[in-house]
Amino acid sequence: MQKGKITAVELAELQNSTSLYGGSVTRLLMEDFGLDADVIGKSLEYYYRVPYMKYDAKQELPFDLLENIGVSYLRSNLWLPVAGNKEEAVILIDDPSDYQRIMEIQGVVNARNYVFRVGLPEHIINFLRGGEEEDMEAGFDDVFASLEEQGGIEIEHDDDDDEESLAATSAIIQLVNRIITEADRLGASDIHIEPGKDSAPGGVRIRVDGICRELLKVPKEHCAALVARIKVISRLNIAERRLPQDGKCKLKIRGKSLELRVATVPTVQGESAVMRLLAAGSAMPLDKLNLSAKNHEKIIEMSGHPHGLFLVVGPTGSGKTTTLHAVLGHINKPERKIWTAEDPVEITQPGLQQVQMLPKINFTFATAMRAFLRADPDVILIGEMRDEETASIGIEASLTGHLVLSTLHTNSAPETLTRLLDHGLDPVNFSDALLGVLAQRLMRTLCGKCKQPYKPDQKELKHLIDAYGQDEFDELGYDRDNIQLMGAIGCDVCGDTGYKGRTGIHELLEGTHEISAMIYRKADVSEITTQAIKDGMITMRQDGIAKIFQGISDYQQLLRVVGE
């Protein structure tokens, strides 16, 4: 702090973070603030007035002083004899001012005189490991070895205190930290902790690019403690294991802020937990959404309207919030007052007034909408039209001179219109308000490092062209005799899957006069779809096939998200 490397506030935040989530202050100083170990060591030397000793792989430890002391005991207490004998022992410790530990050391080592050196916790552990650097991305074996030393807990044993104390052990803390770090490194969106059947081990799975894969197996006796630790960091009731709970927590991993949304669910085999990783991010630019040129142009036109209703629809995790914030980023100008009601607020932008929903105190989307209408808005983003009340207020707001953006969980753009009418909305108001509906999915993309071009055979090519539409395909301007597609291969970058990352596929239904007339007379989905295509809508399947011809993905991945 005195050298200006870190402020007092940052240090206090760091200490608070390590007390709550485990880990060491020195590791965070090195990872998050890029401080050198020797710089931290010299500061410790200055603070404690005790010489600093750094890790030296050539240093031979005094085995006569260590012979009756367990390594796991030294590791958990962070001290060890590094030189000397029973006459004078040199002790390396991370806190030379801890008199209780020093008295304990004197009782354990039994030397006549003691000389102390201050060291980093990581360096002390390196001495004990014989020089193995602790790697956050290494296997989980060492954590499990440490768990074995600290003891487990039988799942049938119903003592809350035992479970809570086990959840606070350093190995469980380390295991949870490592699971979260590894999931973040692999680009996971969710972490699933699942108990095993009977005495079988539990599992930790992560969802990467929409697909679940196993990360590791956890011995049955440690599953309950693992879930208990997750409940501790997300401030849930650790004693309540019969009811589902949900909460959230904020972490800092390698200098990156992460918010976790946590849900626990009791199963017949024990509690299961799911953590969703929400990287605190800024809005993505509209031109980075991989929209087709036509859709991009139409969305810009619709978002330029002073009033009306624009919806983005799709299943959970299909990027609806990302798209809406990209639209807001495009229209976010000083002359426009923008209010957003979200649950949760994942993406933040300067210039927006963003509000977090709190259903526990009845602060819902409908409540927020009413408040916004009294707060002089130009644009309102409502996280989701969950019920008829929210949808009605949204439509009224769009008819009274406001641009309203929202989301809905429907499968296609035409289906959205019939779903809202089924909610009991007034067809007249709805038909007047509608600007457009953008339906979207996320399709896995081929790995940029290993994908390879190939010439498709006639059967594959015909299938793709038929699926797109023979006449419409000619408008894309491809020479049918010289078409090359890209295929998945697999490499280290993509974990031998052949795919890395995802891209959006979209269909945009425009609120034309013909569509408005159909809403007014409550037409069915097939009629609306036919009219929307006449009006120029490119279906989601067509958009996906166009992206396959661009070499972004393949047909197998398109079928995963749009079906046969």
Side-chain angles (χ1 to χ4, degrees):
M1 250 172 10
Q2 286 189 336
K3 295 192 175 174
K5 304 274 186 190
I6 180 173
T7 67
V9 175
E10 286 172 328
L11 185 61
E13 274 181 14
L14 230 135
Q15 288 167 326
N16 181 44
S17 173
T18 52
S19 67
L20 188 58
Y21 305 120
S24 79
V25 173
T26 49
R27 176 183 278 283
L28 288 175
L29 283 169
M30 288 188 278
E31 285 184 352
D32 291 359
F33 291 90
L35 295 184
D36 190 65
D38 289 350
V39 171
I40 300 168
K42 288 295 177 190
S43 297
L44 293 173
E45 181 180 290
Y46 177 80
Y47 180 76
Y48 290 116
R49 302 282 189 244
V50 170
Y52 161 62
M53 180 178 182
K54 67 177 178 181
Y55 173 68
D56 182 359
K58 294 175 187 162
Q59 175 83 25
E60 288 193 20
L61 300 179
F63 289 105
D64 54 328
L65 293 178
L66 283 163
E67 62 184 349
N68 295 318
I69 311 172
V71 173
S72 60
Y73 165 78
L74 292 172
R75 188 188 285 135
S76 59
N77 286 279
L78 288 173
W79 66 269
L80 86 155
V82 283
N85 48 40
K86 290 283 183 185
E87 188 62 35
E88 184 176 83
V90 180
I91 307 291
L92 181 65
I93 187 169
D94 72 321
D95 181 0
S97 67
D98 188 339
Y99 294 112
Q100 196 170 343
R101 247 193 305 170
I102 286 168
M103 286 168 67
E104 199 175 306
I105 289 165
Q106 290 169 345
V108 172
V109 177
N110 271 327
R112 189 186 292 270
N113 294 306
Y114 296 89
V115 175
F116 286 92
R117 299 282 182 267
V118 66
L120 272 57
E122 289 73 21
H123 290 181
I124 295 169
I125 286 163
N126 281 343
F127 273 119
L128 291 167
R129 287 183 171 172
E132 276 182 54
E133 278 284 346
E134 185 184 3
D135 182 6
M136 284 299 278
E137 278 76 54
F140 290 83
D141 297 348
D142 56 334
V143 186
F144 289 130
S146 180
L147 270 171
E148 292 306 318
E149 289 166 8
Q150 292 177 6
I153 180 168
E154 288 297 316
I155 214 79
E156 291 83 10
H157 188 27
D158 205 25
D159 188 336
D160 296 338
D161 294 336
D162 275 7
E163 190 173 302
E164 190 158 1
S165 62
L166 183 61
T169 59
S170 61
I172 283 288
I173 289 169
Q174 195 185 358
L175 179 60
V176 171
N177 289 354
R178 202 171 279 194
I179 287 168
I180 294 169
T181 306
E182 186 71 357
D184 179 59
R185 187 180 72 84
L186 293 169
S189 59
D190 300 85
I191 304 168
H192 297 254
I193 287 121
E194 302 159 331
K197 187 184 175 192
D198 301 329
S199 59
V204 177
R205 291 195 288 166
I206 56 173
R207 189 180 293 279
V208 181
D209 292 339
I211 308 291
C212 272
R213 67 162 100 145
E214 189 168 84
L215 184 65
L216 77 151
K217 292 248 182 261
V218 179
K220 181 73 174 181
E221 64 271 21
H222 302 311
C223 285
L226 190 58
V227 174
R229 176 64 194 162
I230 289 160
K231 286 160 103 175
V232 167
I233 64 174
S234 47
R235 295 181 177 86
L236 300 178
N237 181 357
I238 196 167
E240 181 54 78
R241 294 194 293 274
R242 299 162 305 165
L243 292 171
Q245 295 185 66
D246 60 272
K248 60 182 178 180
C249 64
K250 287 186 178 176
L251 302 171
K252 205 167 187 184
I253 294 177
R254 295 197 205 87
K256 183 169 104 178
S257 291
L258 255 191
E259 188 173 317
L260 301 181
R261 275 166 77 189
V262 180
T264 66
V265 183
T267 75
V268 290
Q269 303 297 342
E271 272 192 296
S272 178
V274 179
M275 295 184 279
R276 169 156 281 197
L277 281 71
L278 308 169
S282 52
M284 194 183 278
L286 195 59
D287 54 8
K288 293 279 189 290
L289 293 182
N290 204 12
L291 291 158
S292 67
K294 188 176 177 183
N295 286 345
H296 184 263
E297 196 181 302
K298 288 276 183 199
I299 287 171
I300 286 177
E301 185 190 317
M302 287 174 191
S303 63
H305 274 257
H307 57 83
L309 178 68
F310 179 70
L311 298 171
V312 178
V313 303
T316 304
S318 59
K320 299 187 294 293
T321 305
T322 303
T323 299
L324 279 179
H325 270 277
V327 173
L328 284 183
H330 177 71
I331 62 175
N332 185 6
K333 303 284 188 294
E335 61 269 18
R336 278 189 146 174
K337 172 74 173 193
I338 303 173
W339 286 98
T340 82
E342 299 166 78
D343 188 19
V345 175
E346 292 173 48
I347 300 166
T348 53
Q349 290 190 57
L352 305 189
Q353 296 298 299
Q354 297 178 260
V355 178
Q356 170 74 51
M357 297 299 89
L358 296 166
K360 285 178 185 171
I361 58 166
N362 203 29
F363 188 13
T364 61
F365 286 126
T367 316
M369 279 292 286
R370 289 196 186 92
F372 291 171
L373 290 172
R374 296 191 294 269
D376 188 28
D378 291 308
V379 181
I380 296 171
L381 165 65
I382 196 82
E384 189 188 332
M385 287 192 165
R386 286 183 183 164
D387 49 49
E388 191 270 334
E389 185 186 12
T390 312
S392 294
I393 301 167
I395 286 166
E396 281 171 31
S398 64
L399 291 171
T400 53
H402 308 104
L403 179 61
V404 178
L405 312 176
S406 190
T407 73
L408 215 67
H409 288 106
T410 52
N411 292 319
S412 69
E415 187 190 310
T416 306
L417 308 185
T418 56
R419 173 78 64 87
L420 282 168
L421 290 172
D422 289 344
H423 266 331
L425 292 184
D426 180 347
V428 179
N429 287 350
F430 183 30
S431 61
D432 286 348
L434 185 71
L435 291 172
V437 180
L438 179 75
Q440 68 177 58
R441 296 280 191 290
L442 291 177
M443 173 172 71
R444 288 170 93 197
T445 53
L446 293 162
C447 171
K449 190 174 179 196
C450 65
K451 67 178 179 181
Q452 283 190 358
Y454 72 96
K455 192 165 176 59
D457 58 36
Q458 281 304 310
K459 188 181 172 186
E460 184 183 1
L461 190 59
K462 184 177 185 307
H463 184 73
L464 282 172
I465 293 172
D466 286 346
Y468 192 90
Q470 289 281 352
D471 298 336
E472 293 89 343
F473 180 75
D474 292 332
E475 292 171 21
L476 293 177
Y478 288 105
D479 176 1
R480 296 191 186 204
D481 298 326
N482 294 310
I483 287 176
Q484 273 197 335
L485 300 179
M486 288 288 184
I489 303 296
C491 65
D492 294 341
V493 173
C494 57
D496 284 324
T497 59
Y499 304 95
K500 190 165 177 63
R502 289 186 290 176
T503 189
I505 56 170
H506 312 89
E507 68 180 27
L508 180 61
L509 179 148
E510 202 180 346
T512 60
H513 293 302
E514 290 77 13
I515 292 289
S516 294
M518 286 186 162
I519 295 170
Y520 182 67
R521 61 182 174 84
K522 295 190 175 181
D524 60 30
V525 176
S526 58
E527 280 186 83
I528 294 171
T529 307
T530 307
Q531 183 57 50
I533 290 168
K534 258 190 215 171
D535 292 338
M537 180 178 86
I538 298 163
T539 66
M540 225 178 308
R541 183 185 296 275
Q542 287 176 320
D543 194 42
I545 292 170
K547 280 162 187 168
I548 291 166
F549 282 111
Q550 289 164 24
I552 294 169
S553 190
D554 60 25
Y555 195 56
Q556 184 189 345
Q557 296 308 314
L558 178 62
L559 290 180
R560 271 181 179 276
V561 292
V562 299
E564 283 292 349

